Amino acid sequence: MNCIFCKISAGEIPAEHALEDEHVLVFRDVRPQAPTHFLVIPRVHVASLHELEDVELGGRLLTAAARVAREAGLDEGWRLIVNTREHGGQEVDHLHLHVVGGKRLGPMLPS
Ligand code: 5GP
Ligand code: ZN
């Protein structure tokens, strides 16, 4: 499959890995929107949050997001963003959770 995040998961495209196990990979976003910006992905291809059915995988993704936030020292707070499908602004069609922090973030939905 021609999926960039599947290729990152397989090690075919380099990324700055922060956390990984057999189910989940966390790596730094190549175009960070804040001082700290990670992407949390499942190793299996799931197109978006809209398709997620696996309760255990959902828990693993959420738990990895919290863990990497703690390890990065985002103790003052951070934000989890999951752009979903076209109207949600999703650009890469492999489920990913953005962990964004390292500064006080603005309104969630700026106009
Ligand atoms: P989306 O808009 O789909 O929610 O977010 C996709 C994110 O993936 C963007 O923030 C973009 O910077 C990031 N991204 C796209 N291609 C790559 C890549 O090849 N490597 C990394 N590390 N991040 C990527
Ligand atoms: Zn994929």
Side-chain angles (χ1 to χ4, degrees), residues 4-5 27-31 83 89-92 96 98:
I4 191 162
F5 286 178
F27 55 96
R28 286 194 186 271
D29 196 295
V30 76
R31 289 188 297 275
N83 298 325
Q90 183 177 1
E91 289 181 356
V92 176
H96 51 284
H98 296 258

Side-chain angles (χ1 to χ4, degrees), residues 1-7 41-47 92-95:
M1 193 188 301
N2 193 27
C3 169
I4 191 162
F5 286 178
C6 280
K7 288 180 178 166
I41 67 166
R43 288 206 184 270
V44 294
H45 184 85
V46 178
V92 176
D93 290 333
H94 179 128
L95 171 58

Side-chain angles (χ1 to χ4, degrees), residues 11 17 29-30 33 36 42 46 48 53 60 65 68 70 76 85 90 94 98 104 111:
H17 294 202
D29 196 295
V30 76
Q33 303 296 312
T36 304
V46 178
S48 82
E53 303 261 18
R60 289 182 185 281
V68 79
R70 286 194 300 271
E76 287 167 288
R85 291 196 165 180
Q90 183 177 1
H94 179 128
H98 296 258
R104 184 179 292 275
S111 49

